[in-house]
Amino acid sequence: MTVTTRSRLPGRMTLTNQLLESLGQAIVSGEFDGEKFPSEAEISKRHRTSRSVTREAVKMLTAKGMISTRPRSGIVTQPQERWSLLDPDVLRWMLERKFSYELLRHFTEMRLGLETAAAALAAKYATPQTLRGIEIGLERMVAAGRGDGDHLAADIAFHVAILEATENPFYLQLDEFIHTALKFSIRLTNRIKGSPSIPAHRRVFDAIKSGDAEKASSAMAQIITEALALISAAERKDRKSKRPARSR
């Protein structure tokens, strides 16, 4: 399962990545639902790409669990259950093209276990350098609160820095996945309640700095639990708004 794919800015994308983006977004949007997925030759013709570029993009989509290639059937789209949700590209496409509060809630529930443990590990293993990385993230949040900087980018930097402070290679490989999903999660929760709570994040940093793993985990849990409550409330409101009106 691929978890280290980096986000690609449009201006920096290769032809292969441009094709990957186009096909990946089309699959998530349901463009090929009930239709036969085009062959490599058809893809090359439709997108005006070389066979080598097309072949590489198809390989990447296969690695992400979104398609499979079969000798007689050709390229076949896979059900969503087989997609690699830990792949940043797949998650981003789903949140951009097929947004659901349920998906965001599931991610936040995972954060509750993942990031609370990461905060505890950071309290045990953070080096002066990685501790400084967390502090910089907090300083950026404070600056953003004064109107100097972006709240979203600062908040994400804080959380990703904690993953790096764990000194755990498995957490380190999740940084882009967490970065991708937090863009959507924090943007939603900030829209509901305003800018993030700096005191709450400072409590996490202070606990990590003092080496108190239990307090660091608890402080992180409070932040994510609040976010989960906001997302769940938004999900219920959205579900209620879509209910058909009862006939009188």
Side-chain angles (χ1 to χ4, degrees):
M1 187 175 289
T2 304
V3 297
T4 57
T5 305
R6 298 290 165 180
S7 292
R8 288 171 289 273
L9 298 176
R12 299 178 181 175
M13 288 198 295
T14 64
L15 289 175
T16 299
N17 288 332
Q18 289 178 35
L19 181 58
L20 176 69
E21 284 286 310
S22 179
L23 293 175
Q25 291 178 9
I27 292 172
V28 170
S29 300
E31 185 176 319
F32 301 109
D33 290 355
E35 295 185 13
K36 181 177 175 59
F37 198 88
S39 66
E40 288 188 8
E42 291 169 333
I43 293 172
S44 293
K45 183 177 180 180
R46 183 182 303 178
H47 293 271
R48 298 180 180 180
T49 54
S50 67
R51 291 297 294 273
S52 60
V53 165
T54 301
R55 190 174 300 113
E56 184 61 25
V58 167
K59 285 181 180 178
M60 294 170 77
L61 287 172
T62 301
K64 296 174 188 297
M66 303 184 78
I67 61 173
S68 65
T69 55
R70 302 171 186 173
R72 296 185 178 181
S73 304
I75 303 174
V76 179
T77 56
Q78 295 298 295
Q80 184 175 313
E81 293 75 22
R82 296 189 182 181
W83 298 354
S84 300
L85 294 183
L86 289 181
D87 184 294
D89 286 331
V90 176
L91 182 61
R92 174 170 53 82
W93 293 331
M94 291 184 70
L95 289 171
E96 286 177 348
R97 300 287 172 170
K98 200 176 181 179
F99 176 84
S100 75
Y101 288 105
E102 182 181 37
L103 180 64
L104 205 54
R105 173 171 53 81
H106 286 164
F107 164 72
T108 308
E109 289 170 345
M110 188 190 73
R111 282 186 66 201
L112 194 55
L114 186 74
E115 290 192 68
T116 52
L121 289 174
K124 292 181 180 180
Y125 301 117
T127 64
Q129 182 179 358
T130 56
L131 188 63
R132 178 56 183 155
I134 302 172
E135 187 176 30
I136 289 174
L138 183 61
E139 290 172 352
R140 288 178 60 185
M141 292 178 68
V142 173
R146 298 194 301 263
D148 181 17
D150 180 68
H151 282 292
L152 180 62
D155 203 346
I156 291 173
F158 177 87
H159 287 273
V160 171
I162 291 175
L163 296 181
E164 295 173 353
T166 65
E167 297 294 319
N168 184 310
F170 294 96
Y171 277 99
L172 292 175
Q173 288 205 13
L174 289 173
D175 66 341
E176 191 62 32
F177 166 73
I178 294 293
H179 185 283
T180 298
L182 281 178
K183 284 184 179 179
F184 295 88
S185 177
I186 294 174
R187 187 180 293 128
L188 172 67
T189 55
N190 284 358
R191 190 167 67 240
I192 296 172
K193 73 177 183 66
S195 59
S197 171
I198 293 173
H201 287 73
R202 188 180 298 280
R203 283 192 290 272
V204 174
F205 170 70
D206 289 342
I208 292 174
K209 185 178 181 180
S210 66
D212 192 328
E214 184 176 349
K215 185 175 290 186
S217 178
S218 177
M220 180 63 78
Q222 290 179 7
I223 292 174
I224 300 175
T225 298
E226 181 185 8
L228 182 59
L230 291 171
I231 292 169
S232 296
E235 181 183 15
R236 289 192 297 271
K237 183 178 180 180
D238 181 67
R239 190 184 302 121
K240 186 176 181 180
S241 68
K242 293 178 180 178
R243 289 177 185 169
R246 292 183 180 180
S247 58
R248 296 182 178 180

